[in-house]
Each structure stands twice: as C-alpha cells, then as structure tokens.
Amino acid sequence: MKKHIALVPGDGIGVDIVGEAVKVLDRIQEKFGHEFTYSTYLAGGCAIDATGKPLPEETLKGCAESDSIILGAVGGPKWDKLPSEIRPEKALLGLRGELGLFCNLRPAIIYKQLSEACPLKPEIVGDGLDIMVVRELTGGIYFGERGRDENSAYDTMRYTVAEIERIVRKGFEIAQKRTKRMCSVDKANILNSSQLWREIVERLAPEYPDVSVSHLYVDNAAMQLIRNPRQFDVIVTGNLFGDILSDEASQITGSIGMLPSASLREDSFGMYEPIHGSAPDIAGKNIANPIATILSVGMMLRYTFGLTAEADAVEEAVSKVLDASYRTADIYSEGMKLVGTKEMGDLIAQAL
Ligand code: IPM
Ligand code: MG
C-alpha cells in the first residue's frame, strides 16, 4: 500500500515524539511491504513564530491532500498571552473544523504492566479498565457564535440534528464492536442542545437493538467515572463535555503518556495524535514518552488504512517492550529500566 502522510510535530515535545512515530512507520513499511512517504508542516506556536499564523495555508492544504495526518502537540507558555484568534490552539480547531474531523476517539485503557500507576483503589478498577470516549469534535460551543463587549462575553452551544445523528451513530457502531454498552452524556436537565441530543439517541436506539443505552448528566458522569469507572464502555458526548471527561478518564488510567487518539471524517480520513500536551518543560531533552504517539500510529493503520495486522503488530511491540521492563521517566517505577525517548522508539521498532 502506498500512502502519503502529513507530519505536524507542532511545539514542545511534539517534535521529539513524532520522530519516534516515523521510526515505527518505517519499520512497518519494511516488514509488511508498504510505501509510506512524508511531508512535514508547521502548526501551532512554531507556525506563529515563522509565519504569524497558527495554521498556515500551506499546512492546511498539505494535510488536506495527504492520506492521513500525525500531529504531535501544540502550545506553550511563550504564546499564552496572545489573543485567542492567533493562539497555537487555533491550529487544532482549524484542522478539525476545515477537514471535517467530527469524530474523536479517545480510549482510556489501563495497561496491565502499569496498573500501579492508576490512582484509584485496586478494588475499584478490578482487573482493568477499557473505556472509549467518543467526542463530537467540530460542533457545539467550540464552534458556535461568540462575542465580547465591555461588560460581557458569550459563547453559543448549538447542535444541528445532522451533527448529533452522525456522532451518535458512530457511538453505536463502535459499541457494537465492543461490549455493546453505550452511555450518552449530556446536560438535558438544563440545556436545549442536550435535550435534542437525548431525543436523537432515543430515536436511533431501535436501529441498534444489540446495544444497551444509558444516559447520564455530565456532572453525574464525572462523578461516576471516579466512583465506578467499570460501568462504562463507550461514552458518546458533545465537544465540551468530551474534552473534560476524556481528560478525567485518561487520568484515572495513570498513564496519560500512553494514550492515543483519532479524529475521523466520515470517509475514515483522519488525524492522529497523543492525548497529552506539548510539555514544553521537557522538550528536546530526550525524556518524553513516545508511546502515545506510536499507539496513535497503530490507530491510523487500523482506522484510516484498514491495516489490521500492522496495527496489531504495533500494539504487540509496545506490550513486549513494557513486558521487558523498559520505561520512560513518566511511567518509571522502582526496579524498571529507565530509557529516553529515542531508546523507547528504537526498542519498539526492534520489537517489530
Ligand atoms: C484537546 C485539547 C484541545 C481541546 C485544546 C488544546 C483546543 O484540550 O484536544 O482536548 O479543547 O479540544
Ligand atoms: Mg482537552
């Protein structure tokens, strides 16, 4: 298979970890006989410094013309004081919005090798946790009308029927491939947009009779994630609630440096990135954990290219290296073998 991949390392450790993802892709193409080519583009703070814009046209065009995108992370204290229209985060929203990447998959998994890192009591997590947050990514309050005057400011949460239907259907389809439980999260006791959301989930449910559906208000969902996370399999929710709950879910796994994500369009074109941020304090020091980005490569092979054996191979290679006790600093515990970013990338490529 011939594929052209857009690399958008971004800022901070983004540069360190995307390099390791490429190492793994290169090994995959060798081993399975594919041909991957790459172009690298600026986005975020580095793009502001170079061009004055967080998302230069060249980046957007290059990404749109690629077969898939791998993104590192954007942002850092250097750009925090800029007005929101030209902050690094705008690059992310621009890519998501312009490319129509409405379906954001954020798995929260406890790796058995890292189970002590989970901050919850063992009796609460039992023998593990495997939650998939399905977050709507191109609508809601992030993209609604907004404004500001001297004495007030506002943002609007608007969802169309079509926007809700397509993400809820994704939630159902993903639940069908897992344990067939889907929890829809909203704030239907207060918000009109959530009432519409809930009505649509109820209306579509009979089309997926094998999936059992529940509804939770977002405040309760936040509480239940800590109280009894094992009740969840697929969580489907809007943009803002999904942003917050996916961070919460990732934290209860105890290893945010391990978690990948996918942002997909209807036709399975996608952008893949780690859940964690740009960690500017450790950038360029060869200590960041590249595994979340490497697992994002695995998701890309699976969801956009349909290369299941290759995706399985990436996940198995990561598991093997963890089994052999290699750890980057963020997941290190006593008795383990401490390695840097590049060594971790090399080890995973070798395990492949
Ligand atoms: C995320 C981030 C972004 C979001 C920010 C950086 C715009 O928090 O990907 O979750 O809120 O969507
Ligand atoms: Mg977030």
Side-chain angles (χ1 to χ4, degrees):
M1 192 177 265
K2 270 192 181 171
K3 295 289 176 192
H4 187 67
I5 298 163
L7 303 175
V8 187
D11 307 313
I13 58 169
V15 181
D16 309 325
I17 54 183
V18 167
E20 301 314 305
V22 171
K23 232 181 232 175
V24 168
L25 272 169
D26 282 344
R27 182 73 194 103
I28 286 280
Q29 64 171 337
E30 225 173 77
K31 184 176 154 85
F32 290 88
H34 301 301
E35 198 182 321
F36 299 139
T37 51
Y38 312 98
S39 298
T40 303
Y41 298 100
L42 293 176
C46 60
I48 297 173
D49 290 349
T51 70
K53 292 179 189 168
L55 181 60
E57 282 87 36
E58 196 198 331
T59 300
L60 185 56
K61 185 165 179 287
C63 287
E65 287 167 358
S66 72
D67 294 308
S68 184
I69 307 162
I70 294 176
L71 188 131
V74 298
K78 183 174 173 196
W79 305 282
D80 272 355
K81 298 257 146 49
L82 292 171
S84 68
E85 280 318 295
I86 52 161
R87 280 173 63 112
E89 289 79 1
K90 255 299 181 234
L92 273 184
L93 295 188
L95 283 166
R96 292 170 183 171
E98 295 294 326
L99 301 176
L101 307 171
F102 71 95
C103 177
N104 186 211
L105 306 182
R106 298 190 163 190
I109 294 170
I110 294 185
Y111 290 86
K112 63 176 191 316
Q113 300 95 334
L114 304 174
S115 56
E116 315 108 80
C118 169
L120 300 182
K121 292 190 184 128
E123 60 266 32
I124 293 180
V125 287
D127 60 1
L129 200 64
D130 183 354
I131 297 173
M132 179 68 91
V133 178
V134 180
R135 169 189 176 192
E136 200 290 326
L137 203 59
T138 53
I141 198 163
Y142 277 52
F143 287 87
E145 192 191 319
R146 66 187 71 212
R148 190 172 175 153
D149 60 32
E150 237 169 273
N151 292 311
S152 71
Y154 69 96
D155 302 276
T156 318
M157 189 178 316
R158 176 190 286 267
Y159 266 116
T160 66
V161 170
E163 281 172 331
I164 301 171
E165 275 183 7
R166 66 180 180 178
I167 190 71
V168 167
R169 284 193 186 282
K170 287 282 177 210
F172 275 116
E173 286 161 16
I174 291 162
Q176 280 180 324
K177 295 190 194 128
R178 296 170 50 102
T179 69
K180 302 186 167 50
R181 289 174 295 143
M182 183 180 92
C183 177
S184 169
V185 173
D186 61 37
K187 189 70 185 172
N189 49 348
I190 302 289
L191 303 175
N192 273 315
S193 52
S194 283
Q195 284 156 14
L196 178 64
W197 182 284
R198 201 176 271 225
E199 279 165 34
I200 290 172
V201 174
E202 286 297 297
R203 173 160 61 72
L204 296 180
E207 294 182 38
Y208 305 88
D210 51 335
V211 177
S212 78
V213 181
S214 59
H215 299 273
L216 283 181
Y217 298 138
V218 61
D219 47 352
N220 190 14
M223 188 172 76
Q224 296 297 335
L225 266 171
I226 305 292
R227 201 187 67 83
N228 176 18
R230 287 167 57 81
Q231 69 186 286
F232 295 106
D233 184 35
V234 171
I235 294 176
V236 65
T237 189
N239 206 340
L240 178 62
F241 302 154
D243 181 31
I244 299 166
L245 292 181
S246 62
D247 264 28
E248 187 187 359
S250 71
Q251 199 53 46
I252 61 182
T253 70
S255 36
I256 190 161
M258 301 283 300
L259 299 177
S261 78
S263 303
L264 303 172
R265 194 163 72 187
E266 196 61 78
D267 62 359
S268 84
F269 174 81
M271 177 162 85
Y272 295 83
E273 60 184 301
I275 282 191
H276 62 71
S278 61
D281 52 321
I282 59 164
K285 296 186 178 159
N286 194 39
I287 49 182
N289 185 350
I291 295 181
T293 315
I294 291 170
L295 290 171
S296 300
V297 162
M299 286 187 95
M300 175 181 88
L301 296 167
R302 190 180 305 284
Y303 289 99
T304 293
F305 300 159
L307 298 172
T308 310
E310 288 81 342
D312 289 346
V314 170
E315 287 167 12
E316 277 156 30
V318 168
S319 223
K320 245 192 219 167
V321 170
L322 292 175
D323 283 340
S325 304
Y326 292 106
R327 303 284 188 271
T328 45
D330 58 312
I331 53 173
Y332 179 77
S333 61
E334 223 186 298
M336 298 290 119
K337 300 171 197 156
L338 183 65
V339 295
T341 310
K342 292 198 171 80
E343 292 71 34
M344 186 55 99
D346 288 340
L347 285 162
I348 295 168
Q350 274 160 28
L352 271 164

